[in-house]
């Protein structure tokens, strides 16, 4: 079993954010060498481990959609954890996040988890680092980018302050282009955009969501987005869409 995550009660329908109850045993196929070049697989069992639940948690986080619901998922398990909360944050930061990267979870999900942990830790920053800022003033989509770097030119945390007006204008143009796409693809775009707007209105960085939106655009093909590429706001935000 796991001490970190809330597990569904056996034989009772699980709640949305609970992990499935794996029971005490896990079934798997064991490779058997019968000799004379004959190799096969036979059903076997092993004891369920905490690592099994870590993988279930990563699977649940990575498939959570829309992405903004990941915060609700994290709060659910954080509130359910009755021991030292710092232990829970450490488990997420040093074990779950690397697992998410290994499983190639979307960058937006990973960024959200990292931001959530940072908020719970009180927004503490590592020593000897400074933030870089790219400030775009409200209503001025052609405002120049402004960067700050320390004298050692060392690797630093990167935070972007986007204006709500600029982001909204970008998304308004993008919505015109996606109207003719399949409903499922439109939903992917709208989920990322809605969550990004919610975040930017709260003064939070949305680079993860912009990167995801850029990936969606690339998957469809940039030439399809006629309104977007001809707009002034695209030139301002193109770098952040990683296009």
């Amino acid at each position: 079993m796991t001490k970190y995550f809330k597990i569904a009660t056996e034989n009772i329908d699980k709640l949305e954010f609970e992990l499935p109850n794996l029971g005490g045993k896990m079934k798997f196929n064991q490779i058997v060498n019968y000799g004379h070049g004959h190799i096969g697989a036979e059903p076997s069992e092993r004891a369920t481990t905490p690592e099994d639940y870590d993988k279930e948690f990563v699977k649940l986080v990575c498939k959570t959609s829309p992405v903004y619901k990941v915060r609700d998922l994290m709060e659910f398990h954080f509130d359910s954890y009755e021991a030292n909360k710092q232990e829970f944050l450490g488990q997420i930061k040093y074990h779950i996040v690397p697992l998410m990267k290994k499983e190639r979870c979307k960058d937006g999900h990973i960024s959200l988890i990292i931001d959530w942990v940072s908020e719970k830790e009180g927004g503490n920053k590592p020593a000897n680092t400074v933030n870089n800022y790219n400030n775009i003033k409200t209503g001025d989509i052609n405002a120049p980018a402004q960067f700050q770097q320390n004298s050692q030119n060392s690797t630093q945390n990167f935070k972007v302050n986007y204006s709500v007006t600029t982001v909204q204008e970008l998304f308004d143009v993008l919505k015109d282009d996606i109207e003719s796409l399949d409903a499922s693809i439109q939903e992917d775009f709208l989920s990322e955009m809605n969550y990004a707007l919610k975040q930017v209105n709260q003064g939070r960085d949305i680079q993860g969501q912009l990167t995801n939106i850029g990936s969606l655009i690339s998957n469809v093909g940039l030439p399809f987005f006629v309104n977007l590429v001809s707009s002034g706001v695209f030139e301002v935000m193109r770098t952040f869409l990683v296009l």
Side-chain angles (χ1 to χ4, degrees), residues 1-2 4-8 14-23 25-27 46 48-64 70 73-74 76-77 91-92 95-97 99-100 103 105 109 113:
M1 302 295 282
T2 176
Y4 292 108
F5 308 119
K6 185 79 165 58
I7 302 170
K14 80 179 192 71
L15 300 176
E16 180 181 9
F17 296 138
E18 285 182 326
L19 298 188
N21 193 314
L22 302 178
K25 297 285 186 180
M26 294 284 288
K27 294 181 179 180
R46 63 169 175 79
T48 304
T49 67
E51 287 74 21
D52 292 320
Y53 282 103
D54 290 341
K55 292 177 182 178
E56 286 295 325
F57 184 76
V58 168
K59 186 189 303 182
L60 179 60
V61 172
C62 293
K63 74 177 184 181
T64 295
V70 170
L73 184 155
M74 297 305 299
F76 174 82
H77 287 279
Q91 175 74 359
I92 300 299
H95 189 64
I96 296 301
V97 169
L99 270 180
M100 292 174 68
E103 296 299 321
C105 193
H109 288 67
I113 295 290

Short mmCIF file of all heavy atoms in Angstrom, two decimals, residues 1-2 4-8 14-23 25-27 46 48-64 70 73-74 76-77 91-92 95-97 99-100 103 105 109 113:
data_model
loop_
_atom_site.label_atom_id
_atom_site.label_comp_id
_atom_site.label_asym_id
_atom_site.label_seq_id
_atom_site.Cartn_x
_atom_site.Cartn_y
_atom_site.Cartn_z
N MET A 1 0.84 -1.20 0.00
CA MET A 1 0.00 0.00 0.00
C MET A 1 0.88 1.25 0.00
O MET A 1 2.09 1.17 0.13
CB MET A 1 -0.93 0.00 1.23
CG MET A 1 -1.84 -1.23 1.31
SD MET A 1 -3.03 -1.32 -0.04
CE MET A 1 -4.23 -0.12 0.53
N THR A 2 0.26 2.40 -0.13
CA THR A 2 1.00 3.66 -0.14
C THR A 2 0.49 4.57 0.96
O THR A 2 -0.70 4.61 1.25
CB THR A 2 0.86 4.38 -1.49
OG1 THR A 2 1.52 5.65 -1.43
CG2 THR A 2 -0.60 4.59 -1.88
N TYR A 4 1.05 7.85 0.79
CA TYR A 4 0.98 9.20 0.25
C TYR A 4 -0.35 9.54 -0.41
O TYR A 4 -0.77 10.69 -0.40
CB TYR A 4 2.11 9.42 -0.76
CG TYR A 4 3.48 9.44 -0.14
CD1 TYR A 4 4.36 8.37 -0.32
CD2 TYR A 4 3.89 10.50 0.66
CE1 TYR A 4 5.61 8.37 0.25
CE2 TYR A 4 5.15 10.51 1.25
CZ TYR A 4 6.01 9.44 1.04
OH TYR A 4 7.24 9.45 1.62
N PHE A 5 -1.01 8.56 -1.01
CA PHE A 5 -2.17 8.87 -1.83
C PHE A 5 -3.44 8.19 -1.32
O PHE A 5 -3.39 7.12 -0.73
CB PHE A 5 -1.90 8.43 -3.28
CG PHE A 5 -0.61 8.98 -3.82
CD1 PHE A 5 0.41 8.12 -4.23
CD2 PHE A 5 -0.40 10.34 -3.90
CE1 PHE A 5 1.61 8.62 -4.71
CE2 PHE A 5 0.80 10.86 -4.38
CZ PHE A 5 1.80 9.98 -4.78
N LYS A 6 -4.56 8.83 -1.60
CA LYS A 6 -5.86 8.31 -1.18
C LYS A 6 -6.29 7.20 -2.14
O LYS A 6 -6.39 7.40 -3.34
CB LYS A 6 -6.89 9.44 -1.19
CG LYS A 6 -8.25 9.05 -0.65
CD LYS A 6 -8.26 9.02 0.86
CE LYS A 6 -9.67 8.98 1.42
NZ LYS A 6 -10.48 7.85 0.98
N ILE A 7 -6.53 6.03 -1.57
CA ILE A 7 -6.90 4.86 -2.37
C ILE A 7 -8.37 4.54 -2.15
O ILE A 7 -8.89 4.66 -1.04
CB ILE A 7 -6.04 3.64 -1.95
CG1 ILE A 7 -4.55 3.97 -2.13
CG2 ILE A 7 -6.40 2.42 -2.77
CD1 ILE A 7 -3.64 2.93 -1.54
N ALA A 8 -9.02 4.13 -3.20
CA ALA A 8 -10.44 3.78 -3.12
C ALA A 8 -10.63 2.58 -2.21
O ALA A 8 -9.79 1.68 -2.14
CB ALA A 8 -10.99 3.47 -4.51
N LYS A 14 -14.86 4.16 -6.79
CA LYS A 14 -13.87 5.16 -6.36
C LYS A 14 -14.32 6.57 -6.74
O LYS A 14 -15.06 6.78 -7.71
CB LYS A 14 -12.50 4.85 -6.96
CG LYS A 14 -12.28 5.26 -8.39
CD LYS A 14 -10.86 4.92 -8.82
CE LYS A 14 -10.50 5.57 -10.15
NZ LYS A 14 -10.34 7.03 -10.03
N LEU A 15 -13.87 7.53 -5.95
CA LEU A 15 -14.11 8.94 -6.26
C LEU A 15 -13.23 9.34 -7.44
O LEU A 15 -12.27 8.64 -7.79
CB LEU A 15 -13.80 9.80 -5.05
CG LEU A 15 -14.63 9.51 -3.79
CD1 LEU A 15 -14.15 10.38 -2.62
CD2 LEU A 15 -16.11 9.73 -4.06
N GLU A 16 -13.52 10.48 -8.03
CA GLU A 16 -12.83 10.91 -9.25
C GLU A 16 -11.31 10.92 -9.10
O GLU A 16 -10.58 10.49 -9.99
CB GLU A 16 -13.31 12.30 -9.67
CG GLU A 16 -12.64 12.83 -10.93
CD GLU A 16 -13.11 14.22 -11.31
OE1 GLU A 16 -13.84 14.85 -10.50
OE2 GLU A 16 -12.75 14.68 -12.41
N PHE A 17 -10.82 11.43 -7.96
CA PHE A 17 -9.38 11.61 -7.80
C PHE A 17 -8.72 10.51 -6.97
O PHE A 17 -7.51 10.56 -6.73
CB PHE A 17 -9.08 12.97 -7.17
CG PHE A 17 -9.49 14.13 -8.05
CD1 PHE A 17 -10.12 15.25 -7.50
CD2 PHE A 17 -9.26 14.11 -9.42
CE1 PHE A 17 -10.49 16.31 -8.31
CE2 PHE A 17 -9.63 15.17 -10.23
CZ PHE A 17 -10.24 16.27 -9.68
N GLU A 18 -9.47 9.55 -6.50
CA GLU A 18 -8.88 8.45 -5.76
C GLU A 18 -8.12 7.52 -6.71
O GLU A 18 -8.46 7.40 -7.89
CB GLU A 18 -9.95 7.64 -5.03
CG GLU A 18 -10.51 8.30 -3.79
CD GLU A 18 -11.53 7.42 -3.09
OE1 GLU A 18 -12.26 6.68 -3.78
OE2 GLU A 18 -11.60 7.48 -1.86
N LEU A 19 -7.11 6.84 -6.17
CA LEU A 19 -6.43 5.81 -6.95
C LEU A 19 -7.20 4.51 -6.84
O LEU A 19 -7.83 4.23 -5.82
CB LEU A 19 -5.00 5.61 -6.42
CG LEU A 19 -4.03 6.79 -6.50
CD1 LEU A 19 -2.63 6.33 -6.12
CD2 LEU A 19 -4.03 7.41 -7.89
N PRO A 20 -7.14 3.69 -7.88
CA PRO A 20 -7.83 2.39 -7.80
C PRO A 20 -7.18 1.51 -6.74
O PRO A 20 -5.98 1.60 -6.49
CB PRO A 20 -7.63 1.81 -9.20
CG PRO A 20 -6.41 2.49 -9.73
CD PRO A 20 -6.45 3.88 -9.16
N ASN A 21 -7.97 0.69 -6.09
CA ASN A 21 -7.45 -0.23 -5.09
C ASN A 21 -6.86 -1.45 -5.82
O ASN A 21 -7.59 -2.21 -6.47
CB ASN A 21 -8.56 -0.67 -4.14
CG ASN A 21 -8.02 -1.37 -2.91
OD1 ASN A 21 -7.16 -2.24 -3.01
ND2 ASN A 21 -8.52 -0.98 -1.75
N LEU A 22 -5.55 -1.62 -5.73
CA LEU A 22 -4.87 -2.70 -6.45
C LEU A 22 -4.88 -4.01 -5.69
O LEU A 22 -4.44 -5.04 -6.22
CB LEU A 22 -3.42 -2.29 -6.75
CG LEU A 22 -3.23 -1.01 -7.57
CD1 LEU A 22 -1.76 -0.71 -7.75
CD2 LEU A 22 -3.94 -1.10 -8.92
N GLY A 23 -5.37 -3.98 -4.45
CA GLY A 23 -5.37 -5.19 -3.66
C GLY A 23 -3.97 -5.54 -3.17
O GLY A 23 -3.02 -4.78 -3.33
N LYS A 25 -2.18 -8.23 -4.13
CA LYS A 25 -1.39 -8.96 -5.11
C LYS A 25 -1.56 -8.35 -6.50
O LYS A 25 -2.64 -7.90 -6.87
CB LYS A 25 -1.81 -10.43 -5.16
CG LYS A 25 -1.58 -11.21 -3.87
CD LYS A 25 -0.11 -11.53 -3.65
CE LYS A 25 0.09 -12.43 -2.44
NZ LYS A 25 1.52 -12.75 -2.21
N MET A 26 -0.47 -8.36 -7.26
CA MET A 26 -0.49 -7.91 -8.64
C MET A 26 -0.22 -9.10 -9.55
O MET A 26 0.72 -9.87 -9.32
CB MET A 26 0.58 -6.84 -8.87
CG MET A 26 0.34 -5.54 -8.13
SD MET A 26 -0.95 -4.53 -8.88
CE MET A 26 -0.10 -3.95 -10.35
N LYS A 27 -1.05 -9.26 -10.58
CA LYS A 27 -0.84 -10.35 -11.53
C LYS A 27 0.08 -9.88 -12.65
O LYS A 27 0.03 -8.73 -13.07
CB LYS A 27 -2.18 -10.80 -12.11
CG LYS A 27 -3.12 -11.43 -11.09
CD LYS A 27 -4.42 -11.89 -11.73
CE LYS A 27 -5.33 -12.55 -10.71
NZ LYS A 27 -6.62 -13.00 -11.30
N ARG A 46 2.65 -11.25 -7.54
CA ARG A 46 3.63 -10.67 -6.62
C ARG A 46 2.91 -9.71 -5.70
O ARG A 46 1.79 -9.27 -5.98
CB ARG A 46 4.75 -9.95 -7.37
CG ARG A 46 4.27 -8.75 -8.20
CD ARG A 46 5.43 -7.93 -8.70
NE ARG A 46 5.01 -6.85 -9.58
CZ ARG A 46 4.49 -5.70 -9.18
NH1 ARG A 46 4.29 -5.49 -7.87
NH2 ARG A 46 4.15 -4.76 -10.05
N THR A 48 1.79 -6.36 -4.03
CA THR A 48 1.65 -4.96 -4.46
C THR A 48 2.61 -4.08 -3.66
O THR A 48 2.77 -4.26 -2.46
CB THR A 48 0.21 -4.48 -4.24
OG1 THR A 48 -0.68 -5.35 -4.93
CG2 THR A 48 0.02 -3.06 -4.76
N THR A 49 3.26 -3.14 -4.34
CA THR A 49 4.26 -2.27 -3.70
C THR A 49 3.83 -0.80 -3.77
O THR A 49 2.98 -0.43 -4.59
CB THR A 49 5.62 -2.42 -4.39
OG1 THR A 49 5.52 -1.89 -5.73
CG2 THR A 49 6.05 -3.89 -4.45
N PRO A 50 4.43 0.06 -2.95
CA PRO A 50 4.15 1.50 -3.05
C PRO A 50 4.47 2.05 -4.43
O PRO A 50 3.82 2.98 -4.90
CB PRO A 50 5.08 2.10 -1.98
CG PRO A 50 5.26 1.01 -0.98
CD PRO A 50 5.29 -0.26 -1.78
N GLU A 51 5.48 1.46 -5.10
CA GLU A 51 5.85 1.92 -6.44
C GLU A 51 4.70 1.70 -7.43
O GLU A 51 4.54 2.48 -8.38
CB GLU A 51 7.11 1.20 -6.93
CG GLU A 51 8.40 1.64 -6.26
CD GLU A 51 8.53 1.14 -4.83
OE1 GLU A 51 7.85 0.14 -4.47
OE2 GLU A 51 9.30 1.75 -4.06
N ASP A 52 3.91 0.65 -7.21
CA ASP A 52 2.75 0.41 -8.08
C ASP A 52 1.76 1.56 -7.98
O ASP A 52 1.17 1.99 -8.98
CB ASP A 52 2.06 -0.90 -7.71
CG ASP A 52 2.92 -2.12 -8.02
OD1 ASP A 52 3.58 -2.13 -9.07
OD2 ASP A 52 2.95 -3.05 -7.19
N TYR A 53 1.57 2.07 -6.76
CA TYR A 53 0.64 3.19 -6.57
C TYR A 53 1.24 4.50 -7.08
O TYR A 53 0.51 5.37 -7.57
CB TYR A 53 0.26 3.31 -5.10
CG TYR A 53 -0.78 2.30 -4.70
CD1 TYR A 53 -0.44 1.17 -3.97
CD2 TYR A 53 -2.11 2.45 -5.09
CE1 TYR A 53 -1.39 0.22 -3.62
CE2 TYR A 53 -3.08 1.52 -4.74
CZ TYR A 53 -2.71 0.40 -4.01
OH TYR A 53 -3.67 -0.54 -3.68
N ASP A 54 2.57 4.64 -7.01
CA ASP A 54 3.20 5.82 -7.61
C ASP A 54 2.91 5.86 -9.11
O ASP A 54 2.59 6.92 -9.66
CB ASP A 54 4.72 5.78 -7.38
CG ASP A 54 5.10 6.02 -5.93
OD1 ASP A 54 4.27 6.56 -5.18
OD2 ASP A 54 6.24 5.67 -5.56
N LYS A 55 3.02 4.72 -9.76
CA LYS A 55 2.75 4.64 -11.20
C LYS A 55 1.28 4.92 -11.50
O LYS A 55 0.96 5.58 -12.50
CB LYS A 55 3.15 3.27 -11.73
CG LYS A 55 4.65 3.02 -11.73
CD LYS A 55 4.99 1.61 -12.20
CE LYS A 55 6.50 1.36 -12.14
NZ LYS A 55 6.84 -0.02 -12.54
N GLU A 56 0.38 4.45 -10.64
CA GLU A 56 -1.04 4.73 -10.82
C GLU A 56 -1.32 6.22 -10.67
O GLU A 56 -2.16 6.79 -11.39
CB GLU A 56 -1.88 3.93 -9.82
CG GLU A 56 -1.99 2.45 -10.13
CD GLU A 56 -2.74 2.15 -11.41
OE1 GLU A 56 -3.69 2.90 -11.74
OE2 GLU A 56 -2.35 1.19 -12.10
N PHE A 57 -0.63 6.85 -9.73
CA PHE A 57 -0.81 8.28 -9.51
C PHE A 57 -0.34 9.07 -10.74
O PHE A 57 -1.03 9.98 -11.20
CB PHE A 57 -0.05 8.73 -8.27
CG PHE A 57 -0.27 10.18 -7.92
CD1 PHE A 57 -1.45 10.60 -7.33
CD2 PHE A 57 0.70 11.13 -8.21
CE1 PHE A 57 -1.66 11.93 -7.01
CE2 PHE A 57 0.50 12.47 -7.90
CZ PHE A 57 -0.68 12.87 -7.30
N VAL A 58 0.82 8.71 -11.25
CA VAL A 58 1.35 9.37 -12.44
C VAL A 58 0.40 9.19 -13.62
O VAL A 58 0.11 10.13 -14.37
CB VAL A 58 2.76 8.83 -12.79
CG1 VAL A 58 3.18 9.30 -14.19
CG2 VAL A 58 3.77 9.28 -11.77
N LYS A 59 -0.12 7.99 -13.77
CA LYS A 59 -1.07 7.70 -14.85
C LYS A 59 -2.31 8.58 -14.72
O LYS A 59 -2.82 9.13 -15.72
CB LYS A 59 -1.46 6.23 -14.82
CG LYS A 59 -2.32 5.77 -15.99
CD LYS A 59 -2.86 4.35 -15.78
CE LYS A 59 -1.75 3.35 -15.56
NZ LYS A 59 -2.29 1.97 -15.41
N LEU A 60 -2.81 8.72 -13.49
CA LEU A 60 -4.01 9.53 -13.26
C LEU A 60 -3.75 10.99 -13.56
O LEU A 60 -4.57 11.66 -14.21
CB LEU A 60 -4.47 9.36 -11.80
CG LEU A 60 -5.70 10.17 -11.37
CD1 LEU A 60 -6.92 9.78 -12.20
CD2 LEU A 60 -5.97 9.96 -9.89
N VAL A 61 -2.61 11.52 -13.09
CA VAL A 61 -2.28 12.93 -13.33
C VAL A 61 -2.14 13.19 -14.82
O VAL A 61 -2.69 14.17 -15.35
CB VAL A 61 -0.97 13.31 -12.60
CG1 VAL A 61 -0.54 14.72 -13.01
CG2 VAL A 61 -1.16 13.25 -11.10
N CYS A 62 -1.39 12.34 -15.51
CA CYS A 62 -1.08 12.58 -16.92
C CYS A 62 -2.30 12.51 -17.83
O CYS A 62 -2.32 13.13 -18.89
CB CYS A 62 0.00 11.61 -17.40
SG CYS A 62 1.62 11.86 -16.63
N LYS A 63 -3.32 11.76 -17.43
CA LYS A 63 -4.51 11.64 -18.28
C LYS A 63 -5.62 12.60 -17.85
O LYS A 63 -6.68 12.64 -18.48
CB LYS A 63 -5.03 10.20 -18.27
CG LYS A 63 -5.73 9.78 -17.00
CD LYS A 63 -6.28 8.36 -17.12
CE LYS A 63 -7.07 7.95 -15.87
NZ LYS A 63 -7.58 6.58 -15.96
N THR A 64 -5.40 13.37 -16.78
CA THR A 64 -6.42 14.29 -16.30
C THR A 64 -6.66 15.41 -17.31
O THR A 64 -5.72 16.07 -17.77
CB THR A 64 -6.00 14.90 -14.94
OG1 THR A 64 -5.94 13.87 -13.96
CG2 THR A 64 -7.00 15.95 -14.49
N VAL A 70 -5.92 19.23 -12.66
CA VAL A 70 -4.77 18.64 -11.96
C VAL A 70 -4.58 19.29 -10.60
O VAL A 70 -4.23 18.62 -9.62
CB VAL A 70 -3.48 18.76 -12.81
CG1 VAL A 70 -2.25 18.36 -11.99
CG2 VAL A 70 -3.58 17.88 -14.04
N LEU A 73 -6.91 17.75 -8.22
CA LEU A 73 -6.42 16.41 -7.89
C LEU A 73 -5.34 16.48 -6.82
O LEU A 73 -5.34 15.71 -5.84
CB LEU A 73 -5.89 15.74 -9.16
CG LEU A 73 -5.42 14.28 -9.08
CD1 LEU A 73 -5.52 13.63 -10.46
CD2 LEU A 73 -3.99 14.16 -8.59
N MET A 74 -4.40 17.40 -7.00
CA MET A 74 -3.30 17.55 -6.04
C MET A 74 -3.81 17.98 -4.67
O MET A 74 -3.36 17.47 -3.64
CB MET A 74 -2.27 18.55 -6.56
CG MET A 74 -1.58 18.13 -7.86
SD MET A 74 -0.79 16.51 -7.77
CE MET A 74 0.40 16.79 -6.46
N PHE A 76 -6.72 17.41 -3.44
CA PHE A 76 -7.45 16.27 -2.87
C PHE A 76 -6.50 15.34 -2.11
O PHE A 76 -6.75 14.98 -0.96
CB PHE A 76 -8.16 15.50 -3.98
CG PHE A 76 -8.83 14.24 -3.53
CD1 PHE A 76 -10.08 14.26 -2.93
CD2 PHE A 76 -8.20 13.00 -3.70
CE1 PHE A 76 -10.69 13.08 -2.51
CE2 PHE A 76 -8.80 11.82 -3.29
CZ PHE A 76 -10.05 11.86 -2.68
N HIS A 77 -5.39 14.96 -2.74
CA HIS A 77 -4.46 14.03 -2.10
C HIS A 77 -3.65 14.72 -1.01
O HIS A 77 -3.33 14.10 0.01
CB HIS A 77 -3.54 13.41 -3.15
CG HIS A 77 -4.23 12.39 -4.01
ND1 HIS A 77 -4.43 11.09 -3.60
CD2 HIS A 77 -4.79 12.50 -5.24
CE1 HIS A 77 -5.07 10.43 -4.55
NE2 HIS A 77 -5.31 11.26 -5.55
N GLN A 91 7.83 13.87 -1.85
CA GLN A 91 7.50 12.71 -2.69
C GLN A 91 7.11 13.16 -4.09
O GLN A 91 7.53 12.57 -5.10
CB GLN A 91 6.36 11.91 -2.06
CG GLN A 91 5.84 10.76 -2.90
CD GLN A 91 6.77 9.56 -2.94
OE1 GLN A 91 7.85 9.59 -2.36
NE2 GLN A 91 6.36 8.52 -3.63
N ILE A 92 6.33 14.22 -4.17
CA ILE A 92 5.89 14.73 -5.48
C ILE A 92 7.08 15.33 -6.24
O ILE A 92 7.29 15.04 -7.42
CB ILE A 92 4.80 15.81 -5.31
CG1 ILE A 92 3.57 15.23 -4.59
CG2 ILE A 92 4.40 16.39 -6.67
CD1 ILE A 92 2.90 14.08 -5.32
N HIS A 95 10.15 12.42 -6.65
CA HIS A 95 9.87 11.08 -7.16
C HIS A 95 8.81 11.10 -8.25
O HIS A 95 9.01 10.53 -9.33
CB HIS A 95 9.42 10.17 -6.02
CG HIS A 95 9.32 8.73 -6.42
ND1 HIS A 95 10.40 7.98 -6.81
CD2 HIS A 95 8.24 7.91 -6.53
CE1 HIS A 95 10.00 6.75 -7.13
NE2 HIS A 95 8.70 6.69 -6.97
N ILE A 96 7.68 11.78 -8.00
CA ILE A 96 6.59 11.77 -8.96
C ILE A 96 6.92 12.58 -10.22
O ILE A 96 6.69 12.11 -11.34
CB ILE A 96 5.29 12.30 -8.32
CG1 ILE A 96 4.83 11.36 -7.19
CG2 ILE A 96 4.19 12.45 -9.37
CD1 ILE A 96 4.58 9.93 -7.62
N VAL A 97 7.48 13.78 -10.05
CA VAL A 97 7.81 14.60 -11.22
C VAL A 97 8.81 13.88 -12.15
O VAL A 97 8.59 13.84 -13.37
CB VAL A 97 8.34 15.99 -10.80
CG1 VAL A 97 8.93 16.73 -12.00
CG2 VAL A 97 7.21 16.82 -10.19
N LEU A 99 9.13 10.72 -12.52
CA LEU A 99 8.36 9.64 -13.14
C LEU A 99 7.49 10.18 -14.28
O LEU A 99 7.35 9.55 -15.32
CB LEU A 99 7.47 8.96 -12.11
CG LEU A 99 8.05 7.76 -11.34
CD1 LEU A 99 7.01 7.22 -10.36
CD2 LEU A 99 8.50 6.67 -12.29
N MET A 100 6.90 11.36 -14.07
CA MET A 100 6.08 11.98 -15.10
C MET A 100 6.91 12.28 -16.35
O MET A 100 6.46 12.06 -17.48
CB MET A 100 5.44 13.27 -14.57
CG MET A 100 4.39 13.05 -13.50
SD MET A 100 3.78 14.60 -12.79
CE MET A 100 2.89 15.29 -14.20
N GLU A 103 7.62 9.08 -18.18
CA GLU A 103 6.44 8.60 -18.91
C GLU A 103 5.99 9.56 -20.00
O GLU A 103 4.95 9.38 -20.61
CB GLU A 103 5.29 8.37 -17.92
CG GLU A 103 5.54 7.27 -16.90
CD GLU A 103 5.75 5.91 -17.55
OE1 GLU A 103 5.05 5.62 -18.54
OE2 GLU A 103 6.62 5.16 -17.08
N CYS A 105 4.83 12.60 -19.89
CA CYS A 105 3.61 13.34 -19.60
C CYS A 105 3.71 14.72 -20.25
O CYS A 105 4.81 15.24 -20.46
CB CYS A 105 3.46 13.48 -18.08
SG CYS A 105 1.85 14.05 -17.54
N HIS A 109 1.15 19.61 -17.82
CA HIS A 109 0.85 18.89 -16.59
C HIS A 109 2.04 18.95 -15.63
O HIS A 109 1.89 19.19 -14.43
CB HIS A 109 0.50 17.44 -16.90
CG HIS A 109 -0.83 17.24 -17.53
ND1 HIS A 109 -1.12 17.68 -18.80
CD2 HIS A 109 -1.98 16.64 -17.07
CE1 HIS A 109 -2.37 17.37 -19.10
NE2 HIS A 109 -2.92 16.73 -18.08
N ILE A 113 2.32 20.87 -11.90
CA ILE A 113 2.69 20.18 -10.67
C ILE A 113 3.85 20.90 -9.99
O ILE A 113 3.85 21.11 -8.77
CB ILE A 113 3.10 18.72 -10.97
CG1 ILE A 113 1.90 17.92 -11.50
CG2 ILE A 113 3.66 18.05 -9.72
CD1 ILE A 113 0.83 17.65 -10.49
#
